[in-house]
Amino acid sequence: MKAVCWHGANDVRVETVPDPKILNPRDAILKVTATTICGSDLHIYDGYIPSMQAGDIIGHEFMGEVVEIGSEVRKLKVGDRVVVSSIIGCGQCRYCQHQKWSLCDNSNPNSWMQEPLFGFGTAGIFGYSHLFGGYAGAQAEYVRVPFADHGAIPVPKELSDEQLLPISDAFPTGFMGADLCNIQPGDIVAVWGCGPVGLFTMRSAYMLGAERVIAIDRIPERLKMAQEFGKAEVINYEEVDAGEALKEMTGGRGPDACVDAVGMEAHGMGLEGFYDKAKQSVRLETDRPHVLRQMIVSCAKGGTLSIMGVYAGFLDKMPMGAAMNKGLTFRMGQMFGQKYIPMLVDRVQKGEIDPSVVFTHHLPLEEAKQGYEIFKHKKDNCIKVLLKP
Ligand code: NAD
Ligand code: ZN
């Protein structure tokens, strides 16, 4: 089959590789009908995720048709059309039982690699390095889905692939970003980053009762999407100081909750931007935490920070004094896909939201390299790329 293989920073290639096989009785094999490039794939593409090996198949946001099932698969049958959570969960451990799917104890065979860094291992993720299980990714014609009864969710025929595909990752991530804000009536939620994750966070914040949503980015067409699709008031941080603007827009109080939908490759400005870029490039710092620093300082006293942007390692110059003295709550994590997916499919079916609008580019899988370049540099007004195997 054809698959997108990683060969180093800024080097992905569409190659012919062996077809996946059932390895465990709880596996299913999926024929991928649509897959996409996530902001998280860019961290791999840019070479910031450790433990990648040349030839690894990448990609984790996908849907498709079940073509084979293992002998212990109970809920799925051949021919089912499913959307799959990017996070792999066993469904039986303490974490999965409590719907904390990205913390699964059993789905990451390489959790020993994480333990020295994280203390405990976390769940496996499709196509997301050996640290996260070494699973083959889904930017491919076929993919093996472990614990398929839990991760692959059958979807209604009347919805299109474009409407359903973001429910594999970007939409539940955005929803969880809003959910972690513990939104109360009257709350103002600020969202950093107007990519797919940020846009879905904005809509989800309203679904959960936010009074106002303010979005921060610098790319004009993304800010426009935040206004139109996200129903947000917007701040272009290259034109005004985002912290000052937030204070002014919230009557001097600051937003009640701040969501990071940017992550470790945040664009920084001035001396601070230069500092992080230089330290990250020589690996003295693994992540560029501009957004986190700004959220801590901008957030209202007693407010909540919800961090969905991915961080990988060690962060510098964090204003913990401000966070501590302001009594902020930090919540974060890889998303709990299986918890949110059925509810989000339901909302799409009821017409509450049409996730397909994020797809600005449709490309055949063979043109994945071009897709990565367009999405990375946000060329040609790109919000999100759909790849068709
Ligand atoms: P994206 O690259 O499309 O969007 C990121 C946006 O952030 C861009 O529009 C960029 O202009 C903006 N940005 C950069 N620096 C900024 C700054 N200093 N202030 C404000 N905005 C800034 O990516 P995406 O697909 O929307 O993903 C966003 C983040 O969410 C990534 O870090 C990705 O890894 C993460 N993610 C996490 C999960 C999870 O389970 N936690 C799942 C999916 C994606
Ligand atoms: Zn589990």
Side-chain angles (χ1 to χ4, degrees):
M1 66 164 185
K2 290 265 188 299
V4 179
C5 300
W6 183 91
H7 282 273
N10 300 305
D11 183 4
V12 297
R13 305 175 198 165
V14 178
E15 295 179 326
T16 302
V17 299
D19 287 356
K21 290 192 177 68
I22 300 271
L23 299 181
N24 181 292
R26 295 170 69 187
D27 291 347
I29 303 293
L30 215 71
K31 181 181 193 317
V32 178
T33 55
T35 180
T36 109
I37 306 171
C38 172
S40 301
D41 292 319
L42 293 181
H43 308 319
I44 291 185
Y45 188 64
D46 292 337
Y48 292 122
I49 302 292
S51 80
M52 289 294 297
Q53 292 173 13
D56 284 347
I57 302 172
I58 53 179
H60 56 264
E61 194 169 16
F62 63 106
M63 60 180 298
E65 186 190 322
V66 177
V67 292
E68 199 183 341
I69 54 172
S71 58
E72 298 285 315
V73 172
R74 296 282 172 262
K75 297 185 196 157
L76 297 174
K77 55 183 191 315
V78 169
D80 280 352
R81 180 174 178 240
V82 294
V83 109
V84 182
S85 170
S86 57
I87 302 286
I88 305 168
C90 75
Q92 283 164 337
C93 71
R94 177 185 168 82
Y95 295 100
C96 291
Q97 291 279 307
H98 286 88
Q99 299 273 46
K100 297 181 176 178
W101 294 86
S102 59
L103 309 180
C104 177
D105 261 341
N106 297 317
S107 64
N108 182 354
N110 295 337
S111 64
W112 61 271
M113 289 168 77
Q114 293 184 338
E115 280 162 21
L117 264 175
F118 298 171
F120 301 93
T122 65
I125 305 179
F126 289 97
Y128 211 70
S129 83
H130 293 267
L131 206 54
F132 289 91
Y135 289 101
Q139 288 165 4
E141 288 179 297
Y142 295 90
V143 64
R144 177 175 78 95
V145 178
F147 305 112
D149 276 335
H150 299 289
I153 291 116
V155 287
K157 292 209 169 30
E158 50 298 358
L159 298 177
S160 67
D161 278 12
E162 285 79 357
Q163 286 173 300
L164 292 164
L165 183 54
I167 303 179
S168 164
D169 187 336
F171 192 4
T173 303
F175 194 92
M176 179 160 155
D179 200 14
L180 295 186
C181 291
N182 185 28
I183 295 169
Q184 304 297 312
D187 273 3
I188 304 174
V189 178
V191 181
W192 273 255
C194 300
V197 171
L199 292 167
F200 286 121
T201 305
M202 296 166 207
R203 286 294 288 273
S204 304
Y206 284 119
M207 289 173 182
L208 294 171
E211 174 123 348
R212 286 169 66 200
V213 174
I214 303 173
I216 300 127
D217 206 305
R218 68 175 171 141
I219 302 176
E221 60 277 6
R222 288 182 167 226
L223 289 166
K224 191 158 167 267
M225 272 287 267
Q227 280 172 316
E228 288 168 1
F229 176 75
K231 321 242 179 267
E233 300 158 56
V234 298
I235 296 173
N236 184 332
Y237 70 84
E238 273 188 332
E239 289 172 0
V240 294
D241 181 282
E244 284 304 316
L246 281 168
K247 200 182 256 181
E248 204 163 295
M249 290 163 85
T250 55
R253 187 178 76 193
D256 302 286
C258 296
V259 183
D260 176 344
V262 179
M264 62 189 286
E265 292 185 72
H267 165 254
M269 295 204 299
L271 190 59
E272 185 200 336
F274 175 74
Y275 171 88
D276 287 305
K277 190 118 196 153
K279 284 198 84 168
Q280 192 186 42
S281 64
V282 293
R283 300 296 192 266
L284 278 173
E285 182 180 33
T286 53
D287 307 62
R288 305 200 297 258
H290 309 296
V291 167
L292 283 180
R293 294 188 192 115
Q294 201 165 48
M295 293 202 321
I296 289 173
V297 176
S298 309
C299 190
K301 291 183 282 185
T304 301
L305 304 195
S306 162
I307 305 164
M308 298 313 294
V310 163
Y311 290 88
F314 299 92
L315 279 54
D316 236 22
K317 303 276 186 286
M318 291 299 292
M320 283 312 286
M324 188 276 160
N325 287 288
K326 285 169 74 181
L328 302 183
T329 300
F330 280 58
R331 302 188 73 190
M332 62 194 89
Q334 298 283 358
M335 62 108 185
F336 302 151
Q338 293 83 334
K339 170 177 178 180
Y340 296 113
I341 290 173
M343 176 271 295
L344 295 178
V345 171
D346 214 44
R347 285 183 188 264
V348 175
Q349 200 169 17
K350 286 185 184 138
E352 283 180 44
I353 180 167
D354 179 5
S356 68
V357 302
V358 297
F359 290 113
T360 48
H361 291 69
H362 289 66
L363 295 174
L365 187 74
E366 283 77 11
E367 288 172 33
K369 186 172 177 52
Q370 195 190 336
Y372 270 87
E373 280 298 302
I374 295 171
F375 182 49
K376 170 173 170 164
H377 298 290
K378 319 303 182 207
K379 286 182 194 164
D380 188 22
N381 296 347
C382 179
I383 305 283
K384 201 166 172 76
V385 178
L386 184 145
L387 297 173
K388 199 101 192 135

